[in-house]
């Protein structure tokens, strides 16, 4: 199973999102997730990469993959198992991130989203995932904790 992430460049609710994301990633690994795609841009992507790296220490078989929007972007791929570049050579540079995000959604079985408002790139990516009928795990739409659960 392949998982990708989409979220805002800036983040609120840091501790709450971190605890939620740790649980989501562990649950997905138990369900058979092996490959995790990230675009590597913004606070949510950095957090997601960090959480997957933590999980990788317990589950060395999983792979963290940086999906590049630009072929010669000079991105540091340290901390990822490998990087890949979807065939975006014919896409104008200003649309490369949008096309890369759509490629990640189409290649994934599950999209994990931290999208708090209906505008911007993260919202557009999540909308694309809905159009493609992908399984979406959303921070905003997460179930409320039961009375027996204590806050993280």
């Amino acid at each position: 199973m392949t998982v990708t992430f989409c979220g805002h460049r800036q983040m609120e609710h840091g501790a709450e999102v971190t605890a939620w994301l740790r649980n989501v990633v562990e649950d997905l690994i138990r369900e058979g997730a092996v490959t995790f795609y990230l675009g590597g841009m913004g606070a949510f992507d950095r957090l997601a990469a960090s959480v997957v790296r933590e999980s990788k220490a317990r589950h060395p078989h999983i792979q963290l993959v940086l999906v590049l929007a630009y072929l010669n972007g000079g991105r540091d791929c340290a901390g990822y198992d490998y990087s890949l570049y979807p065939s975006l050579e014919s896409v104008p540079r200003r649309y490369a991130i949008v096309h890369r995000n759509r490629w990640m959604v189409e290649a994934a079985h599950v999209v994990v989203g931290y999208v708090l408002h209906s505008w911007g790139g993260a919202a557009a990516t999540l909308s694309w995932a809905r159009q493609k009928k992908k399984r979406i795990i959303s921070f905003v739409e997460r179930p409320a904790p039961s009375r027996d659960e204590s806050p993280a």
Side-chain angles (χ1 to χ4, degrees):
M1 178 188 326
T2 301
V3 177
T4 194
F5 299 86
C6 73
H8 299 302
R9 199 174 281 275
Q10 297 178 334
M11 242 180 52
E12 303 171 16
H13 318 100
E16 188 178 355
V17 175
T18 301
W20 169 77
L21 201 51
R22 282 182 177 135
N23 289 331
V24 167
V25 168
E26 285 297 317
D27 288 348
L28 288 169
I29 292 168
R30 279 192 290 278
E31 290 176 27
V34 175
T35 306
F36 293 85
Y37 286 156
L38 274 155
M41 303 177 109
F44 182 69
D45 276 5
R46 284 190 298 276
L47 175 61
S50 174
V51 167
V52 173
R53 283 185 198 106
E54 287 175 11
S55 292
K56 191 170 175 59
R58 293 182 300 283
H59 309 280
H61 68 283
I62 67 172
Q63 295 184 321
L64 179 58
V65 181
L66 179 62
V67 182
L68 302 170
Y70 311 107
L71 189 54
N72 295 319
R75 292 294 310 266
D76 180 11
C77 298
Y80 292 88
D81 292 301
Y82 63 93
S83 65
L84 64 83
Y85 175 71
S87 183
L88 301 174
E89 293 90 1
S90 62
V91 175
R93 186 171 175 82
R94 65 187 274 185
Y95 301 116
I97 291 173
V98 171
H99 284 265
R100 185 269 323 266
N101 291 350
R102 286 183 173 189
W103 182 93
M104 289 192 310
V105 165
E106 290 179 18
H109 300 96
V110 179
V111 177
V112 177
Y114 172 76
V115 179
L116 304 180
H117 48 73
S118 60
W119 65 90
T125 301
L126 197 58
S127 176
W128 184 254
R130 284 192 175 98
Q131 287 177 13
K132 292 297 180 178
K133 302 196 181 325
K134 296 295 179 168
R135 176 180 170 201
I136 296 170
I137 301 173
S138 170
F139 176 76
V140 172
E141 298 166 9
R142 71 196 181 283
S146 69
R147 289 184 188 181
D148 298 336
E149 292 180 31
S150 59

